[in-house]
Every structure is written in structure tokens, then in C-alpha cells.
Coordinates of all heavy atoms in Angstrom, one line a residue:
M737 N 79.5 38.4 -35.9 CA 80.2 39.0 -37.0 C 79.9 38.3 -38.3 O 80.0 37.1 -38.4 CB 81.7 39.0 -36.7 CG 82.5 39.7 -37.8 SD 84.2 40.0 -37.3 CE 85.0 38.6 -38.1
T738 N 79.6 39.0 -39.3 CA 79.3 38.4 -40.6 C 80.6 38.2 -41.4 O 81.5 39.0 -41.5 CB 78.4 39.4 -41.4 OG1 77.2 39.6 -40.7 CG2 78.0 38.7 -42.7
S739 N 80.7 37.0 -42.0 CA 81.8 36.6 -42.9 C 81.2 35.8 -44.0 O 80.0 35.5 -44.1 CB 82.8 35.8 -42.1 OG 82.3 34.6 -41.6
S740 N 82.0 35.3 -44.9 CA 81.5 34.5 -46.0 C 81.6 33.0 -45.7 O 82.3 32.6 -44.8 CB 82.4 34.7 -47.3 OG 83.6 34.1 -47.2
L741 N 80.8 32.3 -46.4 CA 80.8 30.8 -46.2 C 82.2 30.2 -46.4 O 82.6 29.3 -45.7 CB 79.8 30.2 -47.2 CG 79.2 28.8 -47.1 CD1 78.5 28.7 -45.8 CD2 78.4 28.5 -48.2
W742 N 82.9 30.8 -47.4 CA 84.2 30.3 -47.7 C 85.2 30.5 -46.5 O 86.1 29.7 -46.3 CB 84.8 31.0 -48.9 CG 86.1 30.5 -49.4 CD1 87.3 31.0 -49.2 CD2 86.3 29.2 -50.1 NE1 88.3 30.2 -49.8 CE2 87.7 29.1 -50.3 CE3 85.4 28.3 -50.6 CZ2 88.2 28.0 -51.0 CZ3 85.9 27.2 -51.3 CH2 87.3 27.1 -51.5
D743 N 85.0 31.5 -45.6 CA 85.8 31.8 -44.5 C 85.6 30.8 -43.3 O 86.4 30.8 -42.4 CB 85.6 33.2 -44.0 CG 86.1 34.2 -45.1 OD1 87.0 34.0 -45.8 OD2 85.4 35.3 -45.1
M744 N 84.6 30.0 -43.4 CA 84.3 29.1 -42.3 C 85.4 28.0 -42.2 O 86.0 27.7 -43.2 CB 83.0 28.4 -42.4 CG 81.8 29.3 -42.2 SD 80.2 28.5 -42.5 CE 80.2 27.3 -41.1
R745 N 85.7 27.5 -41.0 CA 86.6 26.4 -40.8 C 85.8 25.1 -40.5 O 84.7 25.2 -40.1 CB 87.5 26.7 -39.7 CG 88.5 27.9 -40.0 CD 89.5 28.2 -38.9 NE 88.8 28.6 -37.7 CZ 89.4 29.0 -36.6 NH1 90.7 29.0 -36.6 NH2 88.7 29.4 -35.6
A746 N 86.5 24.0 -40.8 CA 85.8 22.7 -40.5 C 85.4 22.7 -39.1 O 86.1 23.0 -38.2 CB 86.8 21.6 -40.9
G747 N 84.1 22.2 -38.9 CA 83.6 22.1 -37.5 C 82.7 23.3 -37.1 O 82.0 23.2 -36.1
E748 N 82.8 24.4 -37.9 CA 82.0 25.6 -37.5 C 80.6 25.5 -38.0 O 80.3 24.9 -39.0 CB 82.7 26.8 -38.0 CG 83.9 27.2 -37.3 CD 84.5 28.5 -37.8 OE1 84.4 28.8 -39.0 OE2 85.2 29.2 -37.0
T749 N 79.7 26.0 -37.2 CA 78.3 26.1 -37.5 C 77.9 27.6 -37.7 O 78.4 28.4 -37.0 CB 77.4 25.5 -36.4 OG1 77.8 24.2 -36.2 CG2 75.9 25.6 -36.8
A750 N 77.1 27.9 -38.7 CA 76.7 29.3 -38.9 C 75.3 29.4 -39.4 O 74.7 28.4 -39.8 CB 77.6 29.9 -40.0
C751 N 74.8 30.6 -39.3 CA 73.4 30.9 -39.8 C 73.6 31.7 -41.1 O 74.4 32.7 -41.1 CB 72.7 31.7 -38.8 SG 71.0 32.1 -39.3
L752 N 73.0 31.3 -42.2 CA 73.1 32.0 -43.4 C 72.3 33.3 -43.3 O 71.2 33.3 -42.9 CB 72.6 31.2 -44.6 CG 73.0 31.6 -46.0 CD1 73.1 30.5 -46.9 CD2 72.0 32.7 -46.5
V753 N 73.0 34.4 -43.5 CA 72.4 35.7 -43.3 C 71.8 36.3 -44.6 O 70.7 36.7 -44.7 CB 73.4 36.7 -42.8 CG1 72.8 38.1 -42.6 CG2 73.9 36.2 -41.4
A754 N 72.6 36.3 -45.7 CA 72.2 36.9 -47.0 C 73.2 36.5 -48.0 O 74.2 35.8 -47.8 CB 72.2 38.4 -46.8
Y755 N 72.9 37.0 -49.3 CA 73.8 36.8 -50.4 C 74.4 38.2 -50.7 O 73.8 39.2 -50.6 CB 73.1 36.3 -51.6 CG 72.4 35.0 -51.4 CD1 71.0 34.9 -51.3 CD2 73.1 33.8 -51.2 CE1 70.3 33.7 -51.1 CE2 72.4 32.6 -51.0 CZ 71.0 32.6 -51.0 OH 70.4 31.4 -50.8
D756 N 75.7 38.1 -51.1 CA 76.3 39.3 -51.6 C 75.6 39.9 -52.8 O 75.1 39.1 -53.7 CB 77.8 38.9 -52.0 CG 78.6 40.1 -52.4 OD1 78.2 40.8 -53.3 OD2 79.7 40.3 -51.8
E757 N 75.4 41.2 -52.9 CA 74.6 41.7 -54.1 C 75.3 41.4 -55.4 O 74.6 41.5 -56.5 CB 74.4 43.2 -53.9 CG 75.6 44.1 -54.1 CD 76.3 44.4 -52.7 OE1 75.8 44.0 -51.7 OE2 77.4 45.0 -52.8
R758 N 76.5 41.0 -55.4 CA 77.2 40.7 -56.7 C 76.9 39.3 -57.2 O 77.2 39.0 -58.3 CB 78.7 40.9 -56.6 CG 79.1 42.3 -56.3 CD 80.6 42.4 -56.0 NE 80.8 41.8 -54.7 CZ 82.0 41.4 -54.2 NH1 83.1 41.6 -54.9 NH2 82.1 40.9 -53.0
L759 N 76.2 38.5 -56.4 CA 75.9 37.1 -56.8 C 74.7 37.1 -57.8 O 73.6 37.7 -57.4 CB 75.6 36.3 -55.6 CG 75.3 34.8 -55.8 CD1 76.5 34.1 -56.4 CD2 74.8 34.1 -54.5
D760 N 74.9 36.6 -58.9 CA 73.9 36.5 -59.9 C 72.6 35.8 -59.4 O 72.7 34.9 -58.7 CB 74.4 35.7 -61.1 CG 73.5 35.8 -62.3 OD1 72.5 35.0 -62.4 OD2 73.8 36.6 -63.2
I761 N 71.5 36.3 -59.9 CA 70.2 35.8 -59.4 C 70.0 34.3 -59.7 O 69.4 33.6 -58.9 CB 69.0 36.6 -60.0 CG1 67.7 36.2 -59.4 CG2 68.9 36.5 -61.5 CD1 67.5 36.6 -58.0
R762 N 70.6 33.8 -60.8 CA 70.5 32.4 -61.1 C 71.2 31.6 -60.0 O 70.6 30.5 -59.6 CB 71.1 32.1 -62.4 CG 70.4 32.7 -63.6 CD 71.1 32.5 -64.9 NE 72.4 33.3 -64.8 CZ 73.3 33.3 -65.7 NH1 73.3 32.5 -66.7 NH2 74.4 34.1 -65.5
Y763 N 72.3 32.0 -59.5 CA 73.0 31.3 -58.4 C 72.2 31.4 -57.1 O 72.1 30.4 -56.3 CB 74.4 31.8 -58.2 CG 75.3 31.4 -59.3 CD1 75.9 32.4 -60.1 CD2 75.6 30.1 -59.7 CE1 76.7 32.1 -61.2 CE2 76.4 29.8 -60.7 CZ 77.0 30.8 -61.5 OH 77.8 30.5 -62.5
R764 N 71.6 32.6 -56.8 CA 70.8 32.7 -55.6 C 69.6 31.7 -55.6 O 69.3 31.1 -54.6 CB 70.2 34.1 -55.5 CG 71.2 35.2 -55.3 CD 70.6 36.5 -55.3 NE 71.6 37.6 -55.4 CZ 71.6 38.7 -54.7 NH1 70.6 38.9 -53.9 NH2 72.5 39.6 -54.8
T765 N 69.0 31.6 -56.8 CA 67.8 30.8 -56.9 C 68.2 29.3 -56.7 O 67.6 28.6 -56.0 CB 67.2 30.9 -58.3 OG1 66.7 32.3 -58.4 CG2 66.0 30.0 -58.5
R766 N 69.3 28.9 -57.3 CA 69.8 27.5 -57.2 C 70.2 27.2 -55.8 O 69.9 26.1 -55.2 CB 70.9 27.2 -58.2 CG 71.4 25.8 -58.2 CD 70.3 24.9 -58.6 NE 70.8 23.5 -58.6 CZ 70.0 22.5 -58.3 NH1 68.8 22.6 -57.9 NH2 70.5 21.3 -58.3
L767 N 70.9 28.1 -55.1 CA 71.3 27.9 -53.7 C 70.1 27.7 -52.8 O 70.1 26.9 -51.9 CB 72.2 29.0 -53.3 CG 73.6 29.0 -53.8 CD1 74.3 30.3 -53.5 CD2 74.4 27.8 -53.2
R768 N 69.1 28.5 -53.0 CA 67.8 28.4 -52.2 C 67.2 27.0 -52.5 O 66.7 26.4 -51.5 CB 66.9 29.5 -52.6 CG 67.2 30.8 -52.0 CD 66.1 31.9 -52.2 NE 66.6 33.2 -51.7 CZ 66.9 34.2 -52.5 NH1 66.7 34.1 -53.8 NH2 67.3 35.3 -52.0
E769 N 67.2 26.6 -53.7 CA 66.6 25.3 -54.0 C 67.4 24.2 -53.3 O 66.8 23.1 -52.9 CB 66.7 25.0 -55.5 CG 65.8 25.8 -56.3 CD 66.0 25.7 -57.8 OE1 67.0 25.1 -58.3 OE2 65.1 26.2 -58.6
L770 N 68.7 24.4 -53.1 CA 69.5 23.4 -52.4 C 69.4 23.5 -50.9 O 69.9 22.6 -50.1 CB 71.0 23.5 -52.8 CG 71.2 23.2 -54.3 CD1 72.7 23.5 -54.6 CD2 70.9 21.8 -54.6
G771 N 68.8 24.5 -50.4 CA 68.6 24.7 -48.9 C 69.4 25.8 -48.3 O 69.3 26.1 -47.1
F772 N 70.2 26.5 -49.1 CA 71.0 27.6 -48.7 C 70.2 28.9 -48.7 O 70.4 29.7 -49.6 CB 72.3 27.8 -49.6 CG 73.3 26.7 -49.4 CD1 73.3 25.6 -50.2 CD2 74.3 26.8 -48.5 CE1 74.2 24.6 -50.1 CE2 75.3 25.9 -48.3 CZ 75.3 24.7 -49.1
H773 N 69.3 29.0 -47.8 CA 68.4 30.2 -47.8 C 68.7 31.0 -46.5 O 69.1 30.4 -45.5 CB 67.0 29.8 -47.9 CG 66.5 28.8 -47.0 ND1 66.2 29.1 -45.6 CD2 66.4 27.5 -47.1 CE1 65.9 28.0 -45.0 NE2 66.0 27.0 -45.9
P774 N 68.4 32.3 -46.5 CA 68.6 33.0 -45.2 C 67.9 32.4 -44.0 O 66.7 32.0 -44.1 CB 68.0 34.4 -45.6 CG 68.2 34.5 -47.0 CD 68.0 33.1 -47.6
G775 N 68.6 32.3 -42.9 CA 68.1 31.6 -41.8 C 68.5 30.2 -41.6 O 68.4 29.6 -40.6
A776 N 69.0 29.6 -42.7 CA 69.4 28.1 -42.7 C 70.7 28.0 -41.8 O 71.6 28.8 -41.8 CB 69.7 27.6 -44.1
R777 N 70.7 26.8 -41.2 CA 71.9 26.4 -40.4 C 72.9 25.7 -41.3 O 72.5 24.7 -42.0 CB 71.5 25.5 -39.2 CG 72.6 25.1 -38.3 CD 72.1 24.4 -37.2 NE 73.2 23.8 -36.4 CZ 73.5 22.5 -36.4 NH1 72.8 21.7 -37.0 NH2 74.5 22.1 -35.6
V778 N 74.1 26.1 -41.4 CA 75.1 25.6 -42.3 C 76.3 25.1 -41.4 O 76.8 25.8 -40.5 CB 75.6 26.6 -43.3 CG1 76.7 26.0 -44.2 CG2 74.5 27.2 -44.1
V779 N 76.7 23.9 -41.7 CA 77.9 23.3 -41.0 C 79.0 23.1 -42.0 O 78.8 22.5 -43.0 CB 77.6 22.0 -40.3 CG1 78.8 21.4 -39.6 CG2 76.5 22.1 -39.3
C780 N 80.2 23.6 -41.7 CA 81.3 23.4 -42.6 C 81.9 22.1 -42.2 O 82.4 21.8 -41.1 CB 82.4 24.5 -42.4 SG 83.8 24.3 -43.5
V781 N 81.9 21.1 -43.1 CA 82.3 19.8 -42.9 C 83.8 19.6 -43.2 O 84.5 18.9 -42.4 CB 81.5 18.8 -43.7 CG1 82.0 17.3 -43.6 CG2 80.0 18.9 -43.4
R782 N 84.3 20.2 -44.3 CA 85.6 20.0 -44.7 C 86.1 21.2 -45.5 O 85.4 21.7 -46.3 CB 85.7 18.7 -45.5 CG 87.1 18.3 -45.9 CD 87.1 16.9 -46.4 NE 88.5 16.5 -46.7 CZ 88.9 15.8 -47.7 NH1 88.0 15.3 -48.5 NH2 90.1 15.5 -47.8
T783 N 87.4 21.5 -45.2 CA 88.1 22.6 -46.0 C 89.4 22.1 -46.5 O 90.4 22.3 -45.9 CB 88.3 23.8 -45.1 OG1 89.0 23.4 -43.9 CG2 87.0 24.5 -44.6
P784 N 89.4 21.4 -47.6 CA 90.6 20.9 -48.2 C 91.5 22.1 -48.6 O 91.1 23.2 -48.8 CB 90.1 20.2 -49.5 CG 88.7 20.1 -49.4 CD 88.2 21.1 -48.4
R785 N 92.8 21.8 -48.8 CA 93.8 22.8 -49.1 C 93.8 23.0 -50.6 O 93.2 22.3 -51.4 CB 95.1 22.3 -48.6 CG 95.1 22.2 -47.1 CD 96.4 21.9 -46.6 NE 96.3 21.7 -45.1 CZ 97.3 21.4 -44.3 NH1 98.5 21.3 -44.8 NH2 97.1 21.3 -43.0
F786 N 94.7 24.0 -51.0 CA 95.0 24.3 -52.4 C 93.8 24.7 -53.2 O 93.7 24.5 -54.4 CB 95.7 23.1 -53.1 CG 96.9 22.6 -52.3 CD1 96.9 21.3 -51.7 CD2 98.0 23.4 -52.1 CE1 98.0 20.9 -51.0 CE2 99.1 23.0 -51.4 CZ 99.1 21.7 -50.9
G787 N 92.8 25.4 -52.5 CA 91.7 26.0 -53.2 C 90.6 25.0 -53.6 O 89.7 25.4 -54.4
A788 N 90.7 23.8 -53.2 CA 89.6 22.8 -53.5 C 88.3 23.2 -52.9 O 88.3 23.9 -51.9 CB 90.0 21.4 -53.0
P789 N 87.2 22.8 -53.5 CA 85.9 23.2 -53.0 C 85.7 22.7 -51.5 O 86.2 21.7 -51.1 CB 84.9 22.4 -53.9 CG 85.6 22.2 -55.1 CD 87.1 22.0 -54.7
H790 N 85.1 23.6 -50.7 CA 84.8 23.3 -49.3 C 83.5 22.5 -49.3 O 82.6 22.6 -50.2 CB 84.7 24.5 -48.5 CG 86.0 25.2 -48.3 ND1 86.1 26.3 -47.5 CD2 87.2 25.0 -48.9 CE1 87.4 26.8 -47.5 NE2 88.0 26.0 -48.4
V791 N 83.3 21.7 -48.2 CA 82.2 20.8 -48.1 C 81.3 21.4 -46.9 O 81.8 21.6 -45.8 CB 82.6 19.4 -47.8 CG1 81.4 18.5 -47.7 CG2 83.5 18.9 -49.0
Y792 N 80.0 21.5 -47.2 CA 79.0 22.0 -46.2 C 77.8 21.1 -46.1 O 77.4 20.5 -47.0 CB 78.5 23.4 -46.7 CG 79.7 24.4 -47.0 CD1 80.1 24.6 -48.3 CD2 80.2 25.1 -45.9 CE1 81.2 25.5 -48.5 CE2 81.3 26.0 -46.2 CZ 81.7 26.2 -47.5 OH 82.8 27.1 -47.7
R793 N 77.3 21.1 -44.9 CA 76.0 20.4 -44.6 C 74.9 21.4 -44.4 O 75.1 22.3 -43.5 CB 76.2 19.5 -43.4 CG 74.9 18.6 -43.3 CD 75.0 17.6 -42.1 NE 75.0 18.3 -40.9 CZ 75.9 18.1 -39.9 NH1 76.8 17.2 -40.0 NH2 75.8 18.7 -38.8
V794 N 73.8 21.3 -45.1 CA 72.6 22.1 -44.9 C 71.5 21.1 -44.7 O 71.2 20.3 -45.6 CB 72.3 23.0 -46.1 CG1 71.1 23.8 -45.9 CG2 73.5 23.9 -46.3
G795 N 70.8 21.1 -43.6 CA 69.8 20.1 -43.3 C 70.5 18.7 -43.3 O 71.4 18.5 -42.6
T796 N 70.0 17.8 -44.1 CA 70.5 16.5 -44.1 C 71.4 16.2 -45.4 O 71.8 15.1 -45.7 CB 69.4 15.4 -44.1 OG1 68.5 15.6 -45.2 CG2 68.6 15.5 -42.8
S797 N 71.6 17.3 -46.1 CA 72.3 17.2 -47.4 C 73.8 17.8 -47.3 O 74.0 18.7 -46.5 CB 71.6 17.9 -48.5 OG 70.3 17.4 -48.7
I798 N 74.7 17.2 -48.1 CA 76.1 17.6 -48.1 C 76.3 18.2 -49.5 O 76.0 17.5 -50.5 CB 77.0 16.5 -47.8 CG1 76.7 15.8 -46.5 CG2 78.5 16.9 -47.9 CD1 77.3 16.5 -45.3
F799 N 77.0 19.3 -49.6 CA 77.3 20.0 -50.9 C 78.8 20.5 -50.8 O 79.2 20.9 -49.8 CB 76.4 21.1 -51.2 CG 75.0 20.8 -51.2 CD1 74.1 21.0 -50.1 CD2 74.4 20.2 -52.4 CE1 72.8 20.7 -50.2 CE2 73.1 19.9 -52.4 CZ 72.3 20.1 -51.4
S800 N 79.4 20.5 -52.0 CA 80.7 21.2 -52.1 C 80.5 22.4 -52.9 O 79.8 22.4 -53.9 CB 81.8 20.2 -52.7 OG 81.4 19.9 -54.0
L801 N 81.1 23.5 -52.5 CA 81.0 24.8 -53.2 C 82.4 25.3 -53.4 O 83.2 25.3 -52.5 CB 80.2 25.8 -52.4 CG 78.7 25.4 -52.1 CD1 78.1 26.5 -51.3 CD2 77.9 25.3 -53.4
E802 N 82.6 25.9 -54.6 CA 83.9 26.5 -54.9 C 83.9 27.9 -54.3 O 82.9 28.5 -54.1 CB 84.1 26.5 -56.4 CG 84.2 25.2 -57.1 CD 84.5 25.3 -58.5 OE1 84.6 26.4 -59.1 OE2 84.7 24.2 -59.1
D803 N 85.1 28.4 -54.2 CA 85.3 29.8 -53.6 C 84.6 30.8 -54.4 O 84.0 31.8 -53.8 CB 86.7 30.1 -53.4 CG 87.5 30.3 -54.7 OD1 87.1 29.7 -55.7 OD2 88.5 31.0 -54.7
S804 N 84.5 30.7 -55.7 CA 83.9 31.8 -56.5 C 82.4 31.9 -56.2 O 81.8 33.0 -56.5 CB 84.0 31.4 -58.0 OG 83.4 30.2 -58.3
L805 N 81.8 30.9 -55.6 CA 80.4 31.0 -55.2 C 80.3 31.2 -53.7 O 79.5 32.1 -53.2 CB 79.7 29.7 -55.6 CG 78.2 29.6 -55.4 CD1 77.4 30.7 -56.1 CD2 77.7 28.2 -55.8
A806 N 81.0 30.4 -52.9 CA 80.9 30.5 -51.5 C 81.3 31.9 -50.9 O 80.8 32.2 -49.8 CB 81.8 29.4 -50.8
R807 N 82.1 32.6 -51.6 CA 82.5 33.9 -51.1 C 81.4 34.9 -51.1 O 81.4 36.0 -50.5 CB 83.7 34.5 -51.9 CG 85.0 33.7 -51.6 CD 86.2 34.4 -52.3 NE 87.4 33.5 -52.2 CZ 88.2 33.5 -51.2 NH1 87.9 34.2 -50.1 NH2 89.2 32.7 -51.2
H808 N 80.3 34.6 -51.8 CA 79.2 35.5 -52.0 C 78.0 35.2 -51.0 O 77.0 35.8 -51.1 CB 78.7 35.6 -53.4 CG 79.7 36.1 -54.4 ND1 80.1 37.4 -54.4 CD2 80.5 35.5 -55.3 CE1 81.0 37.6 -55.3 NE2 81.3 36.4 -55.9
V809 N 78.2 34.1 -50.2 CA 77.2 33.7 -49.3 C 77.6 34.2 -47.9 O 78.7 33.8 -47.4 CB 77.0 32.2 -49.3 CG1 75.9 31.8 -48.3 CG2 76.6 31.7 -50.7
L810 N 76.8 35.1 -47.3 CA 77.2 35.7 -46.0 C 76.6 34.9 -44.8 O 75.4 34.6 -44.9 CB 76.8 37.2 -46.0 CG 77.3 38.0 -47.2 CD1 76.8 39.4 -47.1 CD2 78.8 38.0 -47.2
V811 N 77.4 34.7 -43.8 CA 77.0 33.9 -42.7 C 77.4 34.6 -41.4 O 78.4 35.4 -41.4 CB 77.5 32.4 -42.7 CG1 76.9 31.7 -43.9 CG2 79.0 32.4 -42.7
E812 N 76.8 34.2 -40.3 CA 77.3 34.5 -39.0 C 77.6 33.2 -38.3 O 76.8 32.4 -38.0 CB 76.2 35.3 -38.2 CG 76.0 36.7 -38.6 CD 75.1 37.5 -37.7 OE1 74.8 37.0 -36.6 OE2 74.7 38.5 -38.1
V813 N 78.9 33.0 -38.0 CA 79.4 31.8 -37.3 C 78.9 31.8 -35.9 O 79.0 32.8 -35.2 CB 80.9 31.7 -37.4 CG1 81.4 30.5 -36.6 CG2 81.4 31.6 -38.8
S814 N 78.3 30.7 -35.5 CA 77.7 30.7 -34.2 C 78.3 29.6 -33.2 O 78.2 29.7 -32.0 CB 76.2 30.3 -34.3 OG 76.0 29.1 -34.9
D815 N 79.0 28.6 -33.8 CA 79.5 27.6 -32.9 C 80.7 26.9 -33.6 O 80.7 26.7 -34.8 CB 78.4 26.5 -32.7 CG 78.8 25.5 -31.6 OD1 79.7 25.8 -30.8 OD2 78.3 24.4 -31.7
R816 N 81.7 26.6 -32.8 CA 82.8 25.8 -33.3 C 82.9 24.5 -32.6 O 82.9 24.5 -31.4 CB 84.1 26.6 -33.2 CG 85.4 25.9 -33.7 CD 86.6 26.8 -33.6 NE 86.4 27.9 -34.4 CZ 87.0 29.1 -34.2 NH1 87.8 29.2 -33.2 NH2 86.8 30.1 -35.0
V817 N 83.0 23.4 -33.3 CA 83.1 22.1 -32.7 C 84.6 21.8 -32.4 O 85.4 21.9 -33.3 CB 82.6 21.0 -33.6 CG1 82.8 19.6 -33.0 CG2 81.1 21.3 -33.9
A818 N 84.9 21.5 -31.2 CA 86.3 21.2 -30.8 C 86.7 19.9 -31.4 O 85.9 19.0 -31.5 CB 86.5 21.2 -29.3
N819 N 87.9 19.7 -31.8 CA 88.4 18.4 -32.3 C 88.2 17.3 -31.4 O 88.0 16.2 -31.8 CB 89.9 18.5 -32.7 CG 90.1 19.4 -33.9 OD1 89.2 19.6 -34.7 ND2 91.3 19.9 -34.0
T820 N 88.2 17.6 -30.1 CA 88.1 16.5 -29.1 C 86.7 15.9 -29.1 O 86.5 14.7 -28.7 CB 88.4 17.0 -27.7 OG1 87.5 18.1 -27.4 CG2 89.8 17.4 -27.5
T821 N 85.7 16.7 -29.6 CA 84.3 16.1 -29.6 C 84.1 15.1 -30.8 O 83.2 14.4 -30.8 CB 83.3 17.2 -29.8 OG1 83.5 17.9 -31.0 CG2 83.3 18.2 -28.6
L822 N 85.1 15.1 -31.7 CA 85.0 14.3 -32.8 C 85.6 12.9 -32.6 O 85.5 12.0 -33.4 CB 85.6 14.9 -34.1 CG 85.0 16.2 -34.5 CD1 85.7 16.8 -35.7 CD2 83.5 16.1 -34.9
S823 N 86.4 12.8 -31.5 CA 87.1 11.5 -31.2 C 86.2 10.7 -30.3 O 85.3 11.2 -29.7 CB 88.5 11.8 -30.6 OG 88.3 12.5 -29.4
A824 N 86.6 9.4 -30.2 CA 85.9 8.5 -29.3 C 86.1 8.9 -27.8 O 87.2 9.4 -27.5 CB 86.4 7.1 -29.5
P825 N 85.1 8.7 -27.0 CA 85.3 9.1 -25.6 C 86.3 8.2 -24.9 O 86.5 7.0 -25.3 CB 83.9 8.8 -25.0 CG 83.1 8.0 -26.0 CD 83.8 8.2 -27.3
A826 N 86.9 8.7 -23.9 CA 88.0 7.9 -23.2 C 87.3 6.8 -22.4 O 86.2 7.0 -21.8 CB 88.8 8.8 -22.3
A827 N 87.9 5.7 -22.2 CA 87.4 4.6 -21.5 C 87.7 4.7 -20.0 O 88.5 5.3 -19.6 CB 87.9 3.3 -22.0

């Protein structure tokens, strides 16, 4: 199911599908330069509250994007990391 980058939750992995047609060409170009291109694997690292920019990993780089931009990037969520995988293994 396709949703926006902004709708991802922390720990989710997605494949970038396309850009919303309302996204200005200048932003599309810049996002591609940063690695946000169709087919790219994107991981949502952090989703702070109160509308703060969300944090995403693309390749080996980390970026924060505001909702006004991230809502125009369409993705297909493929994997969700369980909170238990982020903690230390039991002894």
C-alpha cells in the first residue's frame, strides 16, 4: 500500500515509489541529489512529536524532512522493526 514518507513510523523501512505531482521540480531535483530517488530504500529513524521534522536514513546518510515536503514523497512500507530488536539481547 502506498503512503507518504511522513506517514512512516520509527523503525519502518520503505521503498520510495514516486513524488506527488504537486511537488515542485526544484524539490524533486534536490531530493534525488540527496538519495531520495524512486527505488531507494528509506528507513524512518525518528518521528518526534508536535510536528517536528522526521528523521530518515537513505543509504548511509541521515536527513530530517518537514511534513510540507515529506507528505509529497510516496513510499511502500515493506518492513517494521520491532522494538525488541533494538534492545540488547538477553543474557
